[in-house]
Amino acid sequence: MDKTKKSLLFIFLTILIDCLGIGIIIPTLPALIQSLSHENISMAASYGGWLNFSYAIMAFIFSPILGGLSDRYGRRPILLISLLGLGLDYIFLAFAPTMFWLFVGRLIAGLCGASFTTASAYIADISKPEEKAKNFGMIGAAFGLGFIIGPILGSLFGSLGTRVPFMAAAGFSLLNFLFGYFILPESLDKNQRRAFDWKRANPIGFVKQLGKHRNIINLLLVLFILNVAGQVMPSVWTFFCIEKFNWTEKMIGFSLAFVGVTIAIVQGGLIGVATKMLGVKKSIFIGLGFYVLGLFLFSMASQSWMMFAFMIPYALGGISMPNVQSILSSQVPANEQGELQGGITSMIAVTSIIGPVLMTSCFTYFTKDPNTIYFPGISFFVAGILALISLIISYFGLKKLNLKQAQPETQI
């Protein structure tokens, strides 16, 4: 195996282990929050939202900074710092005596959380032009695989104790750090590095750049709203299933694995078929329609089996997003693709700040007092409304847009 293939294998394993760690802790995080906060599942969801907010706000601020530092000092040290920070986060979570230390751990993870960004830059450094698309596809494959296996492992570890999954996640991350420290070479030559510039390492600057692409502002708004709506799954799924169906950690783990399988099938195989049969515009409209239907059905689910059945239309909604991204890519010149990608990345980080707090706050408000309006599915209902708004905006936005040929596989 040559040097490039070894490096690609490590990057694949890095993303996979990162996602395994995240997936492992999802089924048991509510139980840990409850044990430390001494609150019911409704208030625990609110704490979970603020924990996600803490991570997202740090990532929003520091990811562009770490990206600039990787351009200055190379990918290897920044990637290793990110892996070490994630391992420390899981240690804080595993041994936290109070809620304060859970927040400390999440802040550290957000500050150091540039593994996906730096891994993408690493792949760009070592890939030949004709192989970049294939190599970038490894990130999506590792992401999907990690979120299929992780929750299953989390539910199994969770049966041994509430904190065991966090210890396991810490172990995976620290082993990943050691693996990289001794094996991973640097990908960015010193003669290709640039000076660090605080003006460029600015998340607000990325958002401002979106204003120059006025012809696609509607689709950028669609992407923003859909990402806010999408935060309902990582933020509320676990709390909702515990509150509504009294699911165990094991059941939650298996349900999340099923989520990963259905999404992987759609993302991996059906997108190309749907786009070829329906075209780009119809794929967006029909995909968003399925997405709206799935979210509304989740909100009304009354039995456990329904959560699995309703996952099918929700997952079919996945044919919309890649086509939206494809149109965005086709509407700007090649020498502005990086600028557009940076702006969208910063925009999505904002949704990771807004979405979890919105979704968990809605869940808490409508579940904390059964004597008033009791509606555990409110967060999915709100997400469905947001997705419906996205469908309406995309319809009118695409009517005005003069499409160039879009490639569905384009990644932004």
Side-chain angles (χ1 to χ4, degrees):
M1 185 180 295
D2 61 28
K3 181 179 177 181
T4 298
K5 288 183 177 179
K6 286 181 179 179
S7 298
L8 286 172
L9 176 60
F10 174 80
I11 294 300
F12 176 83
L13 292 174
T14 295
I15 304 286
L16 175 60
I17 293 172
D18 270 11
C19 293
L20 276 176
I22 296 169
I24 283 172
I25 70 170
I26 288 176
T28 51
L29 184 59
L32 179 61
I33 293 174
Q34 282 187 279
S35 69
L36 294 177
S37 65
H38 308 293
E39 299 282 1
N40 59 25
I41 193 66
S42 178
M43 290 305 300
S46 181
Y47 279 114
W50 286 108
L51 284 170
N52 287 335
F53 175 87
S54 301
Y55 175 89
I57 193 69
M58 295 296 282
F60 173 70
I61 295 170
F62 285 98
S63 287
I65 295 174
L66 291 174
L69 290 173
S70 76
D71 285 340
R72 173 65 181 88
Y73 298 104
R75 316 298 184 203
R76 184 176 183 273
I78 305 304
L79 186 57
L80 292 176
I81 289 172
S82 299
L83 296 176
L84 182 61
L86 192 60
L88 292 175
D89 166 44
Y90 291 138
I91 290 174
F92 273 102
L93 297 181
F95 297 100
T98 63
M99 284 298 303
F100 170 79
W101 291 105
L102 286 189
F103 280 97
V104 170
R106 289 280 76 193
L107 290 171
I108 292 174
L111 190 152
C112 299
S115 56
F116 286 96
T117 302
T118 312
S120 299
Y122 194 104
I123 289 175
D125 292 338
I126 65 175
S127 299
K128 298 177 181 178
E130 65 273 15
E131 294 180 349
K132 283 188 177 182
K134 179 185 72 174
N135 292 342
F136 277 122
M138 293 174 57
I139 295 179
F143 190 89
L145 187 60
F147 277 98
I148 292 171
I149 300 172
I152 296 177
L153 291 177
S155 62
L156 295 175
F157 285 130
S159 65
L160 302 176
T162 303
R163 296 178 184 259
V164 173
F166 301 92
M167 298 177 189
F172 278 125
S173 294
L174 294 177
L175 285 174
N176 206 10
F177 166 78
L178 291 174
F179 183 41
Y181 182 82
F182 289 107
I183 293 178
L184 185 69
E186 177 55 61
S187 64
L188 187 65
D189 293 336
K190 291 184 177 181
N191 59 4
Q192 295 180 322
R193 300 178 188 181
R194 64 174 177 85
F196 181 78
D197 184 355
W198 281 105
K199 292 182 180 179
R200 296 177 65 173
N202 180 0
I204 304 301
F206 283 137
V207 176
K208 289 180 178 179
Q209 290 301 314
L210 296 179
K212 67 187 292 186
H213 302 294
R214 296 185 181 277
N215 59 326
I216 54 173
I217 196 69
N218 285 336
L219 284 182
L220 290 171
L221 182 59
V222 167
L223 202 62
F224 179 85
I225 296 173
L226 281 178
N227 276 278
V228 173
Q231 292 296 325
V232 70
M233 295 299 281
S235 301
V236 173
W237 177 274
T238 302
F239 298 101
F240 171 77
C241 292
I242 293 173
E243 174 72 18
K244 185 73 175 180
F245 308 115
N246 199 30
W247 279 7
T248 63
E249 294 166 3
K250 187 174 183 179
M251 187 66 175
I252 291 168
F254 285 127
S255 74
L256 291 171
F258 184 75
V259 170
V261 169
T262 55
I263 292 176
I265 291 172
V266 173
Q267 296 284 337
L270 294 184
I271 290 174
V273 176
T275 305
K276 185 178 294 186
M277 291 177 59
L278 302 172
V280 174
K281 285 187 178 182
K282 286 185 178 179
S283 293
I284 292 174
F285 300 148
I286 292 174
L288 289 176
F290 275 122
Y291 196 49
V292 171
L293 176 63
L295 289 167
F296 281 143
L297 288 173
F298 281 145
S299 74
M300 303 297 178
S302 58
Q303 298 183 46
S304 289
W305 66 265
M306 293 181 178
M307 298 303 288
F308 291 90
F310 298 160
M311 178 49 59
I312 295 173
Y314 174 83
L316 287 172
I319 67 175
S320 59
M321 189 76 79
N323 283 287
V324 172
Q325 293 174 321
S326 179
I327 292 175
L328 290 172
S329 177
S330 73
Q331 295 297 307
V332 299
N335 62 353
E336 294 183 14
Q337 293 291 329
E339 182 177 64
L340 179 65
Q341 181 176 352
I344 290 175
T345 301
S346 183
M347 182 180 69
I348 291 174
V350 175
T351 70
S352 298
I353 297 169
I354 298 171
V357 174
L358 171 64
M359 298 304 172
T360 55
S361 296
C362 289
F363 178 82
T364 299
Y365 183 82
F366 283 91
T367 58
K368 65 181 179 181
D369 187 0
N371 296 320
T372 57
I373 300 176
Y374 180 74
F375 186 18
I378 181 63
S379 300
F380 291 103
F381 190 81
V382 170
I385 292 175
L386 291 174
L388 181 59
I389 293 172
S390 295
L391 174 57
I392 295 170
I393 294 173
S394 67
Y395 176 76
F396 288 103
L398 287 174
K399 280 182 66 176
K400 298 178 181 178
L401 196 61
N402 181 25
L403 292 184
K404 300 175 184 178
Q405 181 64 32
Q407 299 297 325
E409 68 272 13
T410 300
Q411 301 294 317
I412 299 181

Coordinates of all heavy atoms in Angstrom, one line a residue, residues 326-394:
S326 N -26.2 20.8 -5.6 CA -25.7 20.7 -6.9 C -26.0 22.0 -7.7 O -25.2 22.5 -8.5 CB -26.3 19.5 -7.6 OG -25.9 19.4 -9.0
I327 N -27.2 22.5 -7.5 CA -27.6 23.7 -8.2 C -26.8 24.9 -7.7 O -26.3 25.7 -8.5 CB -29.1 24.0 -8.0 CG1 -30.0 23.0 -8.7 CG2 -29.5 25.4 -8.5 CD1 -31.4 23.1 -8.5
L328 N -26.6 25.0 -6.4 CA -25.7 26.0 -5.9 C -24.4 26.0 -6.5 O -23.8 27.1 -6.9 CB -25.6 25.9 -4.3 CG -26.9 26.2 -3.5 CD1 -26.7 25.8 -2.1 CD2 -27.3 27.6 -3.6
S329 N -23.8 24.8 -6.6 CA -22.5 24.7 -7.2 C -22.4 25.1 -8.7 O -21.5 25.7 -9.1 CB -22.0 23.3 -7.1 OG -20.7 23.1 -7.7
S330 N -23.5 24.8 -9.4 CA -23.6 25.1 -10.8 C -23.8 26.6 -11.1 O -23.6 27.0 -12.3 CB -24.7 24.3 -11.5 OG -26.0 24.9 -11.2
Q331 N -24.1 27.4 -10.1 CA -24.5 28.8 -10.3 C -23.3 29.8 -10.0 O -23.5 31.0 -10.2 CB -25.7 29.2 -9.5 CG -27.0 28.5 -9.9 CD -27.4 28.8 -11.3 OE1 -27.5 30.0 -11.7 NE2 -27.6 27.8 -12.1
V332 N -22.2 29.2 -9.6 CA -21.0 30.1 -9.4 C -19.8 29.6 -10.2 O -19.7 28.4 -10.4 CB -20.7 30.2 -7.9 CG1 -21.8 30.8 -7.1 CG2 -20.3 28.8 -7.3
P333 N -18.9 30.4 -10.6 CA -17.8 30.0 -11.3 C -16.8 29.1 -10.5 O -16.9 29.1 -9.3 CB -17.1 31.3 -11.8 CG -17.6 32.4 -10.9 CD -19.0 31.9 -10.4
A334 N -16.0 28.4 -11.2 CA -15.1 27.4 -10.5 C -14.2 28.1 -9.5 O -13.9 27.5 -8.5 CB -14.3 26.7 -11.6
N335 N -13.7 29.3 -9.8 CA -12.8 30.0 -8.9 C -13.5 30.6 -7.7 O -12.8 31.3 -6.9 CB -12.0 31.0 -9.7 CG -12.9 32.2 -10.2 OD1 -14.1 32.1 -10.2 ND2 -12.2 33.2 -10.8
E336 N -14.8 30.4 -7.5 CA -15.5 30.9 -6.4 C -16.1 29.7 -5.6 O -16.9 29.9 -4.6 CB -16.6 31.9 -6.7 CG -16.0 33.2 -7.3 CD -17.1 34.2 -7.6 OE1 -18.3 34.0 -7.1 OE2 -16.8 35.2 -8.3
Q337 N -15.8 28.5 -6.0 CA -16.4 27.3 -5.3 C -16.0 27.2 -3.8 O -16.8 27.0 -2.9 CB -16.1 26.0 -6.0 CG -16.7 25.9 -7.4 CD -18.2 25.7 -7.3 OE1 -18.7 25.1 -6.4 NE2 -18.9 26.2 -8.3
G338 N -14.7 27.5 -3.6 CA -14.2 27.5 -2.2 C -14.8 28.5 -1.4 O -15.1 28.3 -0.2
E339 N -15.0 29.7 -1.9 CA -15.6 30.8 -1.2 C -17.0 30.5 -0.8 O -17.5 30.7 0.3 CB -15.6 32.1 -2.0 CG -16.2 33.3 -1.4 CD -16.0 34.5 -2.3 OE1 -16.7 34.5 -3.4 OE2 -15.3 35.4 -1.9
L340 N -17.8 29.9 -1.8 CA -19.2 29.5 -1.5 C -19.2 28.4 -0.4 O -20.0 28.4 0.5 CB -19.8 29.0 -2.8 CG -21.3 28.5 -2.7 CD1 -22.2 29.6 -2.3 CD2 -21.7 27.8 -4.0
Q341 N -18.3 27.4 -0.6 CA -18.3 26.3 0.4 C -18.0 26.8 1.8 O -18.6 26.4 2.8 CB -17.2 25.3 0.0 CG -17.1 24.1 1.0 CD -16.1 23.1 0.5 OE1 -15.5 23.2 -0.6 NE2 -15.8 22.1 1.4
G342 N -17.1 27.8 2.0 CA -16.8 28.4 3.3 C -18.0 29.1 3.8 O -18.3 29.0 5.0
G343 N -18.7 29.8 3.0 CA -19.9 30.5 3.5 C -21.0 29.6 3.9 O -21.6 29.8 5.0
I344 N -21.2 28.5 3.2 CA -22.2 27.5 3.5 C -21.8 26.8 4.8 O -22.7 26.6 5.7 CB -22.4 26.5 2.4 CG1 -23.1 27.2 1.2 CG2 -23.3 25.4 2.9 CD1 -23.3 26.4 0.0
T345 N -20.6 26.5 5.0 CA -20.1 25.8 6.2 C -20.4 26.7 7.4 O -20.9 26.2 8.5 CB -18.6 25.5 6.1 OG1 -18.4 24.6 5.0 CG2 -18.1 24.8 7.4
S346 N -20.1 27.9 7.3 CA -20.3 28.9 8.4 C -21.8 29.0 8.7 O -22.2 29.0 9.9 CB -19.7 30.2 8.1 OG -19.9 31.1 9.2
M347 N -22.6 29.0 7.6 CA -24.1 29.2 7.8 C -24.6 27.9 8.5 O -25.5 28.1 9.4 CB -24.7 29.3 6.4 CG -26.2 29.5 6.4 SD -26.8 29.7 4.7 CE -26.6 28.0 4.1
I348 N -24.2 26.8 8.1 CA -24.7 25.5 8.8 C -24.3 25.5 10.2 O -25.0 25.0 11.1 CB -24.1 24.3 8.0 CG1 -24.8 24.2 6.6 CG2 -24.4 23.0 8.8 CD1 -24.3 23.1 5.7
A349 N -23.1 26.0 10.6 CA -22.7 26.1 12.0 C -23.7 26.9 12.8 O -24.0 26.6 13.9 CB -21.3 26.7 12.1
V350 N -24.2 28.0 12.2 CA -25.2 28.8 12.9 C -26.5 28.0 13.2 O -27.1 28.1 14.2 CB -25.6 30.1 12.0 CG1 -26.7 30.9 12.7 CG2 -24.4 31.0 11.8
T351 N -26.9 27.1 12.2 CA -28.1 26.3 12.4 C -27.8 25.3 13.6 O -28.8 24.9 14.3 CB -28.5 25.5 11.2 OG1 -27.5 24.5 10.9 CG2 -28.6 26.5 10.0
S352 N -26.6 24.9 13.8 CA -26.3 24.0 14.9 C -26.3 24.7 16.2 O -26.4 24.1 17.3 CB -24.9 23.4 14.7 OG -24.8 22.7 13.5
I353 N -26.3 26.1 16.2 CA -26.5 26.8 17.4 C -28.0 27.1 17.7 O -28.5 26.9 18.8 CB -25.8 28.2 17.3 CG1 -24.2 28.0 17.1 CG2 -26.0 29.1 18.5 CD1 -23.5 29.2 16.8
I354 N -28.7 27.4 16.6 CA -30.1 27.8 16.8 C -31.0 26.5 17.0 O -31.8 26.5 17.9 CB -30.6 28.6 15.5 CG1 -29.9 29.9 15.4 CG2 -32.1 28.8 15.6 CD1 -30.1 30.6 14.1
G355 N -30.8 25.5 16.1 CA -31.6 24.4 16.1 C -31.8 23.6 17.4 O -33.0 23.4 17.8
P356 N -30.7 23.2 18.0 CA -30.9 22.4 19.2 C -31.7 23.1 20.3 O -32.5 22.5 21.0 CB -29.4 22.1 19.7 CG -28.7 22.1 18.4 CD -29.3 23.2 17.6
V357 N -31.4 24.4 20.5 CA -32.1 25.1 21.6 C -33.6 25.3 21.2 O -34.4 25.1 22.1 CB -31.4 26.5 21.8 CG1 -32.3 27.4 22.7 CG2 -30.0 26.4 22.3
L358 N -33.9 25.6 20.0 CA -35.3 25.7 19.5 C -36.0 24.4 19.7 O -37.1 24.4 20.3 CB -35.3 26.1 18.0 CG -36.7 26.1 17.4 CD1 -37.6 27.1 18.0 CD2 -36.6 26.3 15.9
M359 N -35.4 23.3 19.3 CA -36.1 22.0 19.3 C -36.3 21.5 20.8 O -37.4 21.0 21.1 CB -35.4 21.0 18.5 CG -35.3 21.3 17.0 SD -37.0 21.6 16.3 CE -36.5 22.2 14.6
T360 N -35.3 21.6 21.6 CA -35.4 21.1 22.9 C -36.2 22.0 23.8 O -36.9 21.5 24.7 CB -34.0 20.9 23.6 OG1 -33.3 22.2 23.5 CG2 -33.2 19.8 22.9
S361 N -36.2 23.3 23.5 CA -37.1 24.2 24.3 C -38.6 23.9 24.0 O -39.4 23.9 24.9 CB -36.8 25.7 23.9 OG -35.4 26.0 24.3
C362 N -38.9 23.7 22.7 CA -40.3 23.3 22.4 C -40.7 22.0 23.1 O -41.8 21.9 23.7 CB -40.4 23.1 20.9 SG -40.3 24.7 19.9
F363 N -39.8 21.0 23.1 CA -40.1 19.7 23.7 C -40.3 19.9 25.2 O -41.3 19.4 25.8 CB -38.9 18.8 23.5 CG -39.1 17.4 24.1 CD1 -39.9 16.4 23.6 CD2 -38.5 17.2 25.4 CE1 -40.1 15.2 24.2 CE2 -38.7 16.0 26.0 CZ -39.4 15.0 25.4
T364 N -39.5 20.7 25.8 CA -39.6 20.9 27.3 C -40.9 21.6 27.6 O -41.6 21.2 28.6 CB -38.4 21.7 27.8 OG1 -37.2 21.0 27.6 CG2 -38.5 22.0 29.3
Y365 N -41.2 22.7 26.9 CA -42.4 23.5 27.2 C -43.7 22.6 27.1 O -44.6 22.8 27.9 CB -42.5 24.7 26.2 CG -43.7 25.6 26.5 CD1 -43.6 26.5 27.5 CD2 -44.9 25.5 25.8 CE1 -44.6 27.4 27.8 CE2 -45.9 26.3 26.1 CZ -45.8 27.3 27.1 OH -46.9 28.1 27.4
F366 N -43.7 21.7 26.1 CA -45.0 21.0 25.9 C -45.0 19.6 26.6 O -45.9 18.8 26.3 CB -45.2 20.8 24.4 CG -45.7 22.1 23.7 CD1 -44.9 23.0 23.2 CD2 -47.1 22.3 23.7 CE1 -45.4 24.2 22.6 CE2 -47.6 23.4 23.1 CZ -46.8 24.4 22.5
T367 N -44.0 19.3 27.4 CA -44.0 18.1 28.2 C -43.8 18.3 29.7 O -44.0 17.3 30.4 CB -42.9 17.1 27.7 OG1 -41.6 17.8 27.8 CG2 -43.1 16.7 26.2
K368 N -43.4 19.5 30.1 CA -43.1 19.6 31.5 C -44.3 19.6 32.4 O -44.2 19.3 33.6 CB -42.3 20.9 31.7 CG -43.1 22.2 31.4 CD -42.3 23.4 31.6 CE -43.0 24.7 31.3 NZ -42.2 25.9 31.5
D369 N -45.5 19.9 31.9 CA -46.7 19.9 32.7 C -47.9 19.2 31.9 O -48.5 19.8 31.1 CB -47.1 21.3 33.1 CG -48.3 21.3 34.0 OD1 -48.8 20.3 34.4 OD2 -48.7 22.5 34.4
P370 N -48.1 17.9 32.2 CA -49.1 17.1 31.5 C -50.5 17.7 31.7 O -51.5 17.4 31.0 CB -49.0 15.7 32.1 CG -47.7 15.7 32.8 CD -47.4 17.1 33.2
N371 N -50.7 18.6 32.7 CA -52.1 19.2 33.0 C -52.4 20.3 32.0 O -53.5 20.8 32.0 CB -52.1 19.7 34.4 CG -52.0 18.5 35.4 OD1 -52.6 17.4 35.2 ND2 -51.3 18.7 36.5
T372 N -51.4 20.8 31.3 CA -51.6 21.8 30.3 C -51.6 21.2 28.9 O -52.1 20.1 28.7 CB -50.6 22.9 30.4 OG1 -49.3 22.4 30.2 CG2 -50.7 23.6 31.7
I373 N -51.1 21.8 27.9 CA -51.0 21.2 26.6 C -49.9 20.3 26.5 O -48.7 20.7 26.7 CB -50.9 22.3 25.5 CG1 -52.1 23.3 25.5 CG2 -50.8 21.7 24.1 CD1 -51.9 24.4 24.5
Y374 N -50.2 19.0 26.4 CA -49.1 18.0 26.4 C -48.9 17.4 24.9 O -49.8 16.8 24.4 CB -49.5 16.8 27.3 CG -48.5 15.7 27.4 CD1 -47.3 15.9 28.1 CD2 -48.7 14.5 26.8 CE1 -46.3 14.9 28.1 CE2 -47.8 13.5 26.9 CZ -46.6 13.7 27.5 OH -45.6 12.7 27.6
F375 N -47.8 17.7 24.3 CA -47.6 17.4 22.9 C -46.1 17.1 22.8 O -45.3 17.9 22.3 CB -48.0 18.5 22.0 CG -47.9 18.2 20.5 CD1 -47.8 16.8 20.1 CD2 -47.9 19.2 19.6 CE1 -47.8 16.6 18.7 CE2 -47.9 18.9 18.2 CZ -47.8 17.6 17.8
P376 N -45.6 15.8 23.1 CA -44.2 15.5 23.0 C -43.7 15.6 21.6 O -42.5 15.9 21.4 CB -44.2 14.0 23.5 CG -45.4 13.8 24.3 CD -46.4 14.7 23.7
G377 N -44.5 15.5 20.6 CA -44.1 15.5 19.2 C -44.0 16.9 18.6 O -43.7 17.1 17.4
I378 N -44.1 17.9 19.5 CA -44.1 19.3 19.0 C -42.8 19.7 18.2 O -42.9 20.4 17.2 CB -44.2 20.3 20.2 CG1 -44.3 21.8 19.7 CG2 -43.1 20.1 21.2 CD1 -45.4 22.1 18.8
S379 N -41.7 19.2 18.6 CA -40.4 19.5 17.9 C -40.4 19.0 16.5 O -40.0 19.7 15.5 CB -39.2 19.0 18.7 OG -39.2 19.5 20.0
F380 N -40.9 17.8 16.3 CA -41.0 17.3 14.9 C -42.1 18.1 14.1 O -41.9 18.3 12.9 CB -41.4 15.8 15.0 CG -40.3 14.9 15.5 CD1 -40.4 14.4 16.8 CD2 -39.2 14.6 14.7 CE1 -39.4 13.6 17.3 CE2 -38.2 13.7 15.2 CZ -38.3 13.3 16.5
F381 N -43.1 18.5 14.8 CA -44.2 19.3 14.1 C -43.6 20.7 13.6 O -43.8 21.1 12.5 CB -45.3 19.6 15.0 CG -46.5 20.1 14.4 CD1 -47.4 19.3 13.6 CD2 -46.8 21.5 14.4 CE1 -48.5 19.9 13.0 CE2 -47.9 22.1 13.8 CZ -48.8 21.3 13.1
V382 N -42.8 21.3 14.5 CA -42.1 22.6 14.2 C -41.2 22.3 13.0 O -41.1 23.1 12.1 CB -41.4 23.1 15.4 CG1 -40.5 24.3 15.0 CG2 -42.4 23.6 16.4
A383 N -40.4 21.2 13.1 CA -39.5 20.9 12.0 C -40.2 20.7 10.7 O -39.7 21.1 9.6 CB -38.6 19.7 12.4
G384 N -41.4 20.1 10.8 CA -42.2 19.9 9.6 C -42.6 21.2 8.9 O -42.6 21.3 7.7
I385 N -43.0 22.1 9.8 CA -43.4 23.4 9.3 C -42.3 24.1 8.6 O -42.4 24.7 7.5 CB -44.0 24.3 10.4 CG1 -45.3 23.7 11.0 CG2 -44.2 25.7 10.0 CD1 -45.8 24.4 12.2
L386 N -41.1 24.0 9.2 CA -39.9 24.6 8.6 C -39.6 24.0 7.3 O -39.2 24.7 6.3 CB -38.7 24.5 9.6 CG -38.7 25.3 10.8 CD1 -37.6 24.9 11.8 CD2 -38.7 26.8 10.5
A387 N -39.7 22.7 7.2 CA -39.4 22.0 5.9 C -40.5 22.4 4.9 O -40.2 22.5 3.7 CB -39.5 20.5 6.1
L388 N -41.7 22.6 5.3 CA -42.8 23.0 4.4 C -42.5 24.4 3.8 O -42.6 24.7 2.6 CB -44.1 23.0 5.1 CG -45.3 23.4 4.2 CD1 -45.5 22.5 3.0 CD2 -46.6 23.4 5.1
I389 N -42.0 25.3 4.7 CA -41.6 26.6 4.3 C -40.4 26.5 3.2 O -40.4 27.3 2.2 CB -41.1 27.5 5.5 CG1 -42.3 27.8 6.4 CG2 -40.5 28.8 5.0 CD1 -42.0 28.4 7.7
S390 N -39.5 25.6 3.5 CA -38.4 25.4 2.5 C -38.9 24.9 1.2 O -38.4 25.4 0.1 CB -37.4 24.4 3.1 OG -36.8 24.8 4.3
L391 N -39.9 24.1 1.2 CA -40.5 23.6 -0.1 C -41.1 24.7 -0.8 O -40.9 24.9 -2.1 CB -41.6 22.5 0.3 CG -42.4 22.0 -0.9 CD1 -41.5 21.4 -2.0 CD2 -43.4 21.0 -0.4
I392 N -41.8 25.6 -0.2 CA -42.5 26.8 -0.8 C -41.4 27.7 -1.4 O -41.5 28.2 -2.5 CB -43.4 27.5 0.2 CG1 -44.6 26.6 0.6 CG2 -43.9 28.8 -0.4 CD1 -45.4 27.1 1.7
I393 N -40.4 28.0 -0.6 CA -39.3 28.9 -1.0 C -38.6 28.3 -2.2 O -38.3 29.0 -3.2 CB -38.4 29.2 0.1 CG1 -39.0 30.0 1.2 CG2 -37.1 30.0 -0.4 CD1 -38.2 30.2 2.5
S394 N -38.3 27.0 -2.2 CA -37.6 26.4 -3.3 C -38.4 26.4 -4.6 O -37.9 26.6 -5.7 CB -37.2 25.0 -2.9 OG -38.4 24.1 -2.8

